[in-house]
Amino acid sequence: MWTQQKWQQRAEQQHFIQRAIIDGQKLTSASEKTFAVINPATQRLLAEVDISEQITVNRAVSVARRCFERGDWSQQSPASRKQVLLRLADLIMQHADELALLDSLSMGKTVTDARELDVPGAAGVFRWYAESLDKLYGQIAPTAQNAVAMITRAPIGVIAAVVPWNFPLDMAAWKLAPALAAGNSVILKPAEQSPFSALRLAELALEAGLPPGVLNVLPGNGEITGKALGLHEDIDAVVFTGSTQVGKYFMHYAAQSNLKQVWLECGGKSPNLIFADCHNLELAAEKAAAAIFFNQGEVCSANSRLLVEHSIHHEFVERLLAQAQKWQPGDPLDPASRAGAMVSSRHSDRVMSYIQVAREQGAELRCGGERLTINGSNNFIQPTIFTGVRSDMQLVKEEIFGPVLAVMPFDGEEQAIALANDSIYGLAASLWSGDLSRAHRVAQRLNAGTVSVNTIDAIDVSVPFGGGKQSGFGRDLSLHAFDKFTQLKTTWIQLCQ
């Protein structure tokens, strides 16, 4: 385990890639437009990074298309692709300290979480999809005896992957691993707040043996780079994780251009239901705190609505308040910190505005609700809990994407289910009950892509992640992710008589 001093020394020496990587090379900027990447934990400039404008996007798409059509990667055997992706997974772990630091510095998360969770998680995703490649089989249709109809999966072509800032390396891996495993060429656009680990990943992919041009990384903002990708006529599919509002833009871009496939994983306002027959209220309180305060609450599936059965409401809230104190933010480079800085001053202001509105609308602030200044930055927000909330409050309705929890009581299953489903989102949900029949019954009626029973935010590479309603559609992780990156192909062979 590194000390805070050692992480700080490493941070002072860290190099940041500032240009797009296309066809295996760092591209000289075609314009003078850049964007600043600020360390939110110190408010200091990390680097000025080139904005990938239309001309750069066009070049990346052309390179990706040419590689795909030549078969540099798309026509390699599954066994060959497997070995490259396994080498990439190994390289990710070999450079784990660097990659963790890049994400911590750019978006404020604790370097401990990045090093112990995100980096191994990303490597594991690449390894899992690599190992899946030689275990997938096509099908033979039940045709008449004079014909053979083969059903196979073929790569789509050129994929644009647009990923968020809250888990920069992890989210890139979720998109890239199955897309590359399937044989596609990919253009990755990282969030402008956190471009560095994605750019470094592109270099590691080349070192692992990925042919130049198969993976191209374009830093930039949504208004220029993201829009250009969404509207491009020669991109076959866009995969996106981010806000619902921006997801709708990509749907519109596809309709304006070539009807490219669009796969969205958007926002959430996930409920966590605590029934009185829960066997371990202390564990449930501990997990409920983690479900909203982990990663500063900057998690799309964060359990930001806590629904507690009336008979245990007071007791559970007291347990929860004690657990919240363990999530006070601190210097992200301090291994003792469990939470870090919010991603930017702008986002900190947004989260604080929700706290202010909740107060004005009559919610009772039970803890937190204030900004802290650490290392000269005020982008640190205390873990915040409100009780006495109503279902019509902004606090309950809208995704805040910060360490802010709304607690509501309920009486019985029907009211619990009604409150839980009263949302435009449908990404995830959790419930706690010692009654197996109740747990199964309620889980079936919750409108969520993943329902975690007697735990929170259950996730594994082997199971699909995604939701419904305005949380989007399509699934990341598991073998089902290949649905986004492949197309079914029928080859009909009429046999000679």
Side-chain angles (χ1 to χ4, degrees), residues 4 13 28-29 64 74 86 93 131 142 161 233 309 339 404 416 433 461 463:
Q4 181 178 0
Q13 302 167 358
T28 302
S29 179
S74 59
L86 287 175
M93 291 308 301
E131 292 290 357
E233 297 281 351
E309 195 156 15
V404 184
S433 172
V461 66
V463 296

Side-chain angles (χ1 to χ4, degrees), residues 127-143:
R127 192 168 286 116
W128 194 87
Y129 281 103
E131 292 290 357
S132 74
L133 279 179
D134 55 7
K135 302 169 184 68
L136 298 175
Y137 294 84
Q139 299 172 314
I140 300 295
T143 58

Side-chain angles (χ1 to χ4, degrees), residues 197-212:
S197 61
L199 289 162
R200 185 69 179 107
L201 183 64
E203 290 187 326
L204 296 179
L206 291 166
E207 186 178 341
L210 193 72

Side-chain angles (χ1 to χ4, degrees), residues 192-224:
E192 54 264 42
Q193 296 87 346
S194 54
F196 302 124
S197 61
L199 289 162
R200 185 69 179 107
L201 183 64
E203 290 187 326
L204 296 179
L206 291 166
E207 186 178 341
L210 193 72
V214 175
L215 172 60
N216 307 278
V217 180
L218 305 184
N221 56 21
E223 294 84 355
I224 296 176

Side-chain angles (χ1 to χ4, degrees), residues 16 115 128 130 182 209-210 237 242 299 316 319 346 363 387 406 418 437 439 488:
F16 302 101
R115 178 62 180 84
W128 194 87
L210 193 72
V299 182
F316 193 82
R319 292 176 184 269
R346 179 180 179 182
T387 59
S437 295
L488 290 175

Side-chain angles (χ1 to χ4, degrees), residues 263-440:
W263 298 94
L264 305 177
E265 194 276 280
C266 298
K269 194 71 180 175
S270 301
N272 185 4
L273 288 64
I274 315 294
F275 286 93
D277 60 11
C278 170
H279 285 169
N280 191 335
L281 290 181
E282 187 62 24
L283 177 63
E286 176 187 339
K287 293 294 187 179
I292 182 60
F293 302 134
F294 169 70
N295 206 52
Q296 307 76 243
E298 296 166 327
V299 182
C300 59
S301 56
N303 291 181
S304 54
R305 293 184 293 143
L306 181 65
L307 311 179
V308 185
E309 195 156 15
H310 230 130
S311 62
I312 60 168
H313 181 269
H314 176 75
E315 175 188 357
F316 193 82
V317 169
E318 292 303 314
R319 292 176 184 269
L320 181 66
L321 291 170
Q323 290 292 334
Q325 299 312 307
K326 301 176 182 179
W327 290 92
Q328 294 297 326
D331 187 331
L333 298 186
D334 183 352
S337 298
R338 295 188 71 183
M342 308 305 291
V343 71
S344 67
S345 295
R346 179 180 179 182
H347 187 59
S348 298
D349 292 342
R350 179 179 180 274
V351 173
M352 290 304 300
S353 73
Y354 274 102
I355 293 173
Q356 180 61 33
V357 169
R359 286 170 160 168
E360 294 171 355
Q361 292 183 337
E364 181 181 358
L365 179 65
R366 300 299 300 273
C367 72
E370 301 294 336
R371 286 172 105 148
L372 300 178
T373 299
I374 300 172
N375 296 331
S377 170
N378 69 343
N379 288 328
F380 298 84
I381 297 179
Q382 296 174 322
T384 301
I385 298 175
F386 284 98
T387 59
V389 302
R390 303 185 310 273
S391 58
D392 62 340
M393 290 181 173
Q394 275 187 314
L395 178 71
V396 177
K397 290 293 187 185
E398 298 180 19
E399 184 179 39
I400 299 174
F401 223 64
V404 184
L405 179 63
V407 185
M408 302 175 67
F410 68 83
D411 289 303
E413 288 182 21
E414 290 301 320
Q415 186 181 23
I417 293 167
L419 288 171
N421 289 338
D422 184 18
S423 174
I424 65 171
Y425 300 107
L427 184 55
S430 298
L431 72 91
W432 295 76
S433 172
D435 184 334
L436 179 60
S437 295
R438 163 178 279 171
H440 183 73

Side-chain angles (χ1 to χ4, degrees), residues 10-11 13-18 26 98 102 196 203:
R10 176 68 182 266
Q13 302 167 358
Q14 183 60 53
H15 169 70
F16 302 101
I17 303 173
Q18 298 169 258
K26 295 186 184 73
E98 177 189 8
L102 289 172
F196 302 124
E203 290 187 326

Side-chain angles (χ1 to χ4, degrees), residues 46-61:
L46 296 175
E48 291 282 350
V49 180
D50 289 350
I51 293 177
S52 300
E53 296 189 277
Q54 185 71 60
I55 188 172
T56 305
V57 172
N58 290 344
R59 179 173 176 178
V61 175

